[in-house]
Amino acid sequence: MSQVLLDQGEKVILYNDEQKDLEQTFREDMKKRGGKIVFSEDPRPYLKKSKLFIISPGIPFTTDVVKKAREEKLEIIGEAEYASRLYKGHWVGITGTNGKTTTTTLVSRMLATLPVPTTVAGNIGYALSKELEHMGPESYVAAELSSFQLEGMTTFHPQIACIVNITPDHFERHGNMENYINAKAQIFAHQTAEDVLVLNYDNEPDRKLASRAASRVFFFSTEEKLEKGAWIEEGNFVFDVDGSKHVVCKVSDLKIFGAHNEQNVLAAILCCHFAGVTVENMEKVLKAFEGVEHRLEYVTTIKGVPYYNDSKATNTDSAVKAIEAFKEGHVILLAGGHDKMTDLTEFMQVTARKTDALILLGEARQRFLKAAQKNGVKNIVMCDGSFEDAVRLAYDMAKPPQVVLLSPACSSYDMFANFPERGRVFKSIVHTLKKEAGEEA
């Protein structure tokens, strides 16, 4: 972000209220180009000389420095909002509690079939401001946007917006469901009647948001046949937005599985239809797509037992979708981590029906234990040791036709820097176990 601002000829002050380790080359570049880095100082002298306050997505709007910025009457926006002011091309903005990374990845691959420059950025791992800096007005971006990023939007206007689903999450930041929904709704707050909003008909909070939209609303559903939108009919993904029905491909053509992934596919189909992607190119992308890393990712099979990495399941709804993807059940589930303090009832009810064993680890394990016992989960194993100890416990007890699933329903911050690190460690341990079992390929 700071480099982009400097590229624009702006004078930049990078502020943090705690000391941070920064690469020497970054520090030198900032100094060379007239930027300033400030740690652990009173921010007010710097705020007084500033014209714009750009907040990092990880910083809540309730922090002291933001309050001081408001006192100085500064405009406060997020990095994604600034990027939207720079970029004059076309947006497909995607958010949701779960599924937004898979949907964004699918959309980006479909957009890549268009005869114009395309890119993917946002919460998916590429900073919007940097990725879009040199993209022209004819280009398209598939932008994954978190509630944290959307909180900092004030004028953002995507031509195509999509909310994959909304379920309880991030109450530690937003406080309650109403505030969380309102943050998500920022994705379409500035749309007009010329724009498109794609919503999940099967999700009640999504469905209710339609009445708040000024844009054209199209639903997708895995449970209902719709008058217009996208749905599943006779085992096919179909869509109809103008009285003409199109069949894209068979559900059985997918390499990914689970009802949640079927929703992601339908959302991507609608978004990309309005971006101009052909049905033939949608079909090619869907048949080739093998999923995203850390989301119900097949790792390997040991002694007839498949292992799946779903480290991206950082909330209960995401974990429920992963567990339910295994139609036959017989899941050995690894769950727990840094607790988001959301309700565990549905998660534990599904766990009781679908799992043969629940292994609990991390900071959340005691609260998860009480909820599991309350909801009738029978075979509960508490792991007070390391993450590797928990994976080895699963290995020791798993027998065919069981599967071992890491789907924590928690963030990773008690043991890891982030969920990708947790997923990579899980895969490394599983591959080590495979070698120890004498099954190394």
Side-chain angles (χ1 to χ4, degrees), residues 251-286:
V251 175
S252 59
D253 288 334
L254 298 184
K255 295 180 180 178
I256 54 177
F257 65 99
H260 63 292
N261 277 322
E262 293 167 7
Q263 291 186 341
N264 299 336
V265 167
L266 291 167
I269 286 170
L270 278 178
C271 288
C272 290
H273 167 73
F274 288 106
V277 177
T278 66
V279 170
E280 291 76 16
N281 283 331
M282 291 180 197
E283 180 183 13
K284 288 177 185 176
V285 169
L286 290 174

Side-chain angles (χ1 to χ4, degrees), residues 320 323-324 328-330 346-356 375-377:
V320 164
I323 298 165
E324 289 183 331
E328 304 302 320
H330 297 301
E346 182 187 7
F347 171 61
M348 289 304 177
Q349 288 172 348
V350 172
T351 298
R353 291 198 311 269
K354 288 280 194 175
T355 66
D356 291 347
N375 287 281
V377 180

